[in-house]
């Protein structure tokens, strides 16, 4: 497990009622953290055998911190240690419309941060609370894929992806197309695919319109699975390390008719550079796409 291999996976979903959303958040966080506890322990042992262990000695420890944002702009975060009771508290805060998170990290002497093993977030669009993004970041691709797959199977996903790309409100493709208004594409996301990555989740409406899983025979993708909702789970290669070159082209060409039209342009990264999943710099309109985002 390495920081340089940190990946992110997310699912965009319709919030539904507060009770429904609370149940989804609680299930997602509980499932993911259950997978992470062993990874956290292993990471503590790994760091204890290296330079961090020589600096911090026996003080190295793993901890999971739960956080809920204030409903007021600029307000304080509330924090609690991980426990089943506090996880239920965090899901309650999510149902109120707050952004919530769980951070699994290794700490050293004096509680100094040493390493992040996993970061989980449930983000509500404060401009339009119909939408939420549930996101997981971790260097462990196995736990990430299993957690995002479990989530995608439990809901009716609007969009989903796993890779290096994007953030909570903008995919790499949206950024390359210059679509910078946060969340402006959500209303169209069941009729236009927001982007693509190593693993891409296609909503059921687009999947049905474009022939379902059978339409992807011969595309060269490693996995094409239909989820319970009718959405599609597309995986370009077995391992993320192989998602480059022809594998990126295979994913692009497989989903191109669903993508927004327009010519993507490589964007300059401001501030600290971050890993980015590749985007094919071709107009999807040349490969069957017919729709464009209003924004």
């Amino acid at each position: 497990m390495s920081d340089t291999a940190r990946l992110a996976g997310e699912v965009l979903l319709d919030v539904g009622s507060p009770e429904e959303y609370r149940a989804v958040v609680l299930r997602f966080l509980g499932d993911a953290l259950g997978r992470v506890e062993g990874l956290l322990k292993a990471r503590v042992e790994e760091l204890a055998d290296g330079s961090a262990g020589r600096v911090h000695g026996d003080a190295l420890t793993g901890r999971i911190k739960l956080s809920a944002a204030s409903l007021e702009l600029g307000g304080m975060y509330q924090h609690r240690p991980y426990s089943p009771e506090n996880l239920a508290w965090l899901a309650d805060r999510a149902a109120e419309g707050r952004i919530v998170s769980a951070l699994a990290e290794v700490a050293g002497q004096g509680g100094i941060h040493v390493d992040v093993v996993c970061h989980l977030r449930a983000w509500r669009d404060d401009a339009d609370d119909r939408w939420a993004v549930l996101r997981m970041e971790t260097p462990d691709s196995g736990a990430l894929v299993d957690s995002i797959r479990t989530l995608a199977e439990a809901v009716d996903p609007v969009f989903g992806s796993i890779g290096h790309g994007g953030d909570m409100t903008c995919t790499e493709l949206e950024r390359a197309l210059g679509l910078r208004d946060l969340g402006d594409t959500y209303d169209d996301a069941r009729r236009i695919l927001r982007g693509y990555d190593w693993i891409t989740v296609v909503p059921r409406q687009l999947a049905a319109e474009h022939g379902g899983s059978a339409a992807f025979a011969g595309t060269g993708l490693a996995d094409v699975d239909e989820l319970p909702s009718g959405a599609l789970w597309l995986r370009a290669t077995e391992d993320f390390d192989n998602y480059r070159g022809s594998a990126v082209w295979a994913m692009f060409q497989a989903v191109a008719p669903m993508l927004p039209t327009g010519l993507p342009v490589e964007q300059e990264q401001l501030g600290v550079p971050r890993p980015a999943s590749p985007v094919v710099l071709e107009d999807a309109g040349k490969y069957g796409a017919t729709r464009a985002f209003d924004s």
Side-chain angles (χ1 to χ4, degrees):
M1 191 164 63
S2 167
D3 283 338
T4 60
R6 190 172 302 278
L7 297 175
E10 66 178 45
V11 172
L12 171 68
L13 51 83
D14 304 295
V15 168
S17 70
E19 295 77 15
E20 291 170 329
Y21 180 56
R22 179 191 184 280
V24 169
V25 171
L26 183 61
R27 186 165 56 241
F28 170 60
L29 295 178
D31 173 77
L33 289 173
R35 302 178 195 277
V36 163
E37 286 184 290
L39 301 175
L40 183 57
K41 180 180 178 181
R43 185 59 172 158
V44 170
E45 294 173 353
E46 180 184 354
L47 289 171
D49 289 337
S51 58
R54 292 191 291 274
V55 171
H56 296 279
D58 294 335
L60 282 177
T61 184
R63 64 186 179 190
I64 298 175
K65 181 173 68 175
L66 310 179
S67 302
S70 170
L71 286 173
E72 299 178 1
L73 185 64
M76 299 293 290
Y77 274 76
Q78 294 175 287
H79 304 290
R80 292 193 179 184
Y82 173 52
S83 71
E85 295 77 16
N86 286 341
L87 200 60
W89 166 83
L90 195 66
D92 289 339
R93 304 291 77 75
E96 294 172 354
R98 305 191 192 194
I99 299 171
V100 302
S101 65
L103 183 70
E105 64 177 353
V106 180
Q109 294 182 15
I112 295 174
H113 165 80
V114 176
D115 189 31
V116 173
V117 171
C118 180
H119 192 189
L120 299 163
R121 280 174 286 180
W123 177 88
R124 286 284 292 277
D125 186 345
D126 55 4
D128 188 341
D129 62 7
R130 293 175 300 161
W131 312 107
V133 176
L134 274 56
R135 184 177 175 95
M136 180 177 185
E137 299 175 29
T138 178
D140 191 283
S141 61
L144 177 62
V145 170
D146 290 344
S147 296
I148 296 299
R149 176 69 181 247
T150 298
L151 171 62
E153 289 180 344
V155 299
D156 179 13
V158 181
F159 174 74
S161 67
I162 298 177
H164 274 321
D167 53 35
M168 300 289 283
T169 58
C170 190
T171 68
E172 292 288 3
L173 177 61
E174 289 170 338
R175 181 178 291 106
L177 289 171
L179 305 177
R180 298 185 181 278
D181 292 332
L182 306 186
D184 275 2
T185 61
Y186 292 173
D187 271 324
D188 282 332
R190 290 194 181 276
R191 56 183 292 271
I192 306 175
L193 192 64
R194 297 178 57 222
Y196 54 93
D197 214 318
W198 171 47
I199 293 175
T200 304
V201 179
V202 178
R204 58 181 170 84
Q205 293 85 350
L206 274 172
E209 180 182 350
H210 291 272
S213 59
F216 290 85
T219 57
L221 301 182
D223 289 316
V224 178
D225 296 331
E226 184 172 315
L227 302 178
S229 65
L232 293 179
W233 176 272
L234 309 180
R235 182 169 177 157
T237 58
E238 286 298 327
D239 299 316
F240 177 74
D241 289 344
N242 296 322
Y243 183 59
R244 57 182 184 272
S246 61
V248 177
W249 265 98
M251 177 61 81
F252 168 73
Q253 290 182 307
V255 301
M258 309 178 195
L259 296 174
T261 57
L263 182 64
V265 177
E266 189 171 351
Q267 302 290 325
E268 180 183 1
Q269 288 196 35
L270 302 178
V272 179
R274 58 174 181 78
S277 289
V279 170
V280 173
L281 301 180
E282 292 272 359
D283 188 338
K286 294 168 55 179
Y287 299 87
T290 60
R291 299 167 181 166
F293 285 125
D294 291 338
S295 57

